[in-house]
Amino acid sequence: MYSSKNPALADDPARIVPASGETEERTRDRVLYSVLEDGPVSAAELGERLGFTPAAVRRHLDALSKEGLVEVKLVANQRTGAGRPSRRYVLSHRGQAKMGNDYLDIATDALTELGRAAGPAAIEAFAARRFAAMERRYRPVVEGVDGLEDRAEALSEALSADGFVASTRKVGANSPTATMLSVQLCQGHCPIQDLAREFPVFCEMETQAFSRLLGVDVRRLSTLASGGHVCTTHIPVGRNQTPQRAEKRTRIKITKQERPR
């Protein structure tokens, strides 16, 4: 997710120091949005990001937990896998809904009726058209961008502009083989999460659109609709690299007359 060391964020004082006279509700909303952007995130990391004392950030997190807007996930150490899992905060399903899902109930009912009247293929065609339109809008953003990592970052920025709170992170940088290198594209918010839960074809069509935009096969590791704390798309950067050619070996054919006696 987004790094607290992002210079663009560091240049924005309003994101680091609470505004003077800021209401309790406004401050709590900032904590909630920061969990959305950075989750899974620890209380200490949130405090550092927002400029709050540990006691203050825990008070807001406790209040958000009581409202059912955030929840705790135990996350193992990603580097070693050893030690006790750490407590990390993510948005709950209710928290995701609070960030905006207008008209989803109506859309779900409409698609259900469409499926009854015309069959599952009609829903699939509808989802395909929706993401084809998204693909056309994003195509100019990624075209002409050299390097798969940079294209993934450009796609991430386009998704964030549309409210998906996206980010990228490199995985496998310390791997001995280049083919293990990958980028994970994460989306912290999904405006159609409830709809995609009822109709997984929307996630499938989005994944296919990402694959076409990036020009490489991608794989979904998790989705908000299926219970994940983010939608994560695995992008195999290593496959985009040209492997070194093996040393060419020449076989010498020995005729019967040249064979040593």
Side-chain angles (χ1 to χ4, degrees):
M1 302 300 291
Y2 286 116
S3 169
S4 59
K5 297 181 180 179
N6 188 325
L9 298 177
D11 291 339
D12 185 357
R15 300 191 65 84
I16 305 301
V17 181
S20 177
E22 186 173 72
T23 65
E24 188 85 351
E25 182 179 359
R26 171 61 180 159
T27 302
R28 196 153 293 165
D29 283 344
R30 290 178 61 215
V31 173
L32 181 65
Y33 190 81
S34 191
V35 173
L36 167 65
E37 280 193 312
D38 296 317
V41 61
S42 69
E45 290 168 341
L46 280 173
E48 182 180 354
R49 167 79 181 274
L50 297 172
F52 294 163
T53 63
V57 75
R58 290 187 186 280
R59 177 167 57 85
H60 289 300
L61 287 170
D62 287 344
L64 290 169
S65 295
K66 289 178 181 178
E67 294 178 39
L69 299 176
V70 300
E71 59 187 24
V72 175
K73 286 189 177 292
L74 298 179
V75 179
N77 188 309
Q78 294 185 353
R79 292 184 178 179
T80 65
R84 295 178 59 184
S86 59
R87 290 168 58 87
R88 303 276 173 157
Y89 290 86
V90 298
L91 254 64
S92 65
H93 173 65
R94 184 176 179 181
Q96 289 283 344
K98 179 181 172 66
M99 302 307 292
N101 64 346
D102 296 343
Y103 306 112
L104 284 186
D105 288 342
I106 296 175
T108 301
D109 289 344
L111 285 175
T112 300
E113 291 301 320
L114 175 64
R116 289 173 181 168
I123 299 175
E124 183 175 337
F126 176 85
R129 287 194 298 272
R130 181 185 188 278
F131 286 101
M134 183 196 77
E135 186 177 342
R136 286 193 297 271
R137 288 192 298 107
Y138 289 175
R139 178 68 62 184
V141 175
V142 299
E143 279 187 339
V145 178
D146 294 330
L148 185 52
E149 291 181 51
D150 291 336
R151 289 201 300 276
E153 181 61 29
L155 177 57
S156 169
E157 292 174 0
L159 287 165
S160 289
D162 279 351
F164 289 91
V165 193
S167 63
T168 59
R169 64 176 181 176
K170 187 181 293 186
V171 178
N174 297 324
S175 173
T177 60
T179 56
M180 297 299 292
L181 185 63
S182 66
V183 167
Q184 288 186 353
L185 173 63
C186 300
Q187 297 159 257
H189 179 57
C190 176
I192 61 167
Q193 177 181 343
D194 289 342
L195 190 66
R197 181 178 292 106
E198 295 294 328
F199 304 100
V201 67
F202 281 85
C203 295
E204 296 168 10
M205 290 298 173
E206 184 182 59
T207 304
Q208 292 176 24
F210 288 171
S211 181
R212 290 189 295 268
L213 286 166
L214 297 172
V216 66
D217 289 336
V218 303
R219 182 164 54 92
R220 268 284 160 80
L221 301 182
S222 66
T223 64
L224 287 160
S226 62
H229 59 267
V230 293
C231 295
T232 304
T233 304
H234 173 85
I235 304 168
V237 179
R239 296 183 189 176
N240 198 44
Q241 300 177 3
T242 304
Q244 294 182 354
R245 294 182 178 180
E247 182 181 353
K248 186 176 181 181
R249 296 182 179 180
T250 304
R251 293 185 62 184
I252 302 175
K253 186 176 181 180
I254 301 177
T255 65
K256 185 176 181 180
Q257 287 80 5
E258 296 172 336
R259 187 173 294 132
R261 297 178 180 179

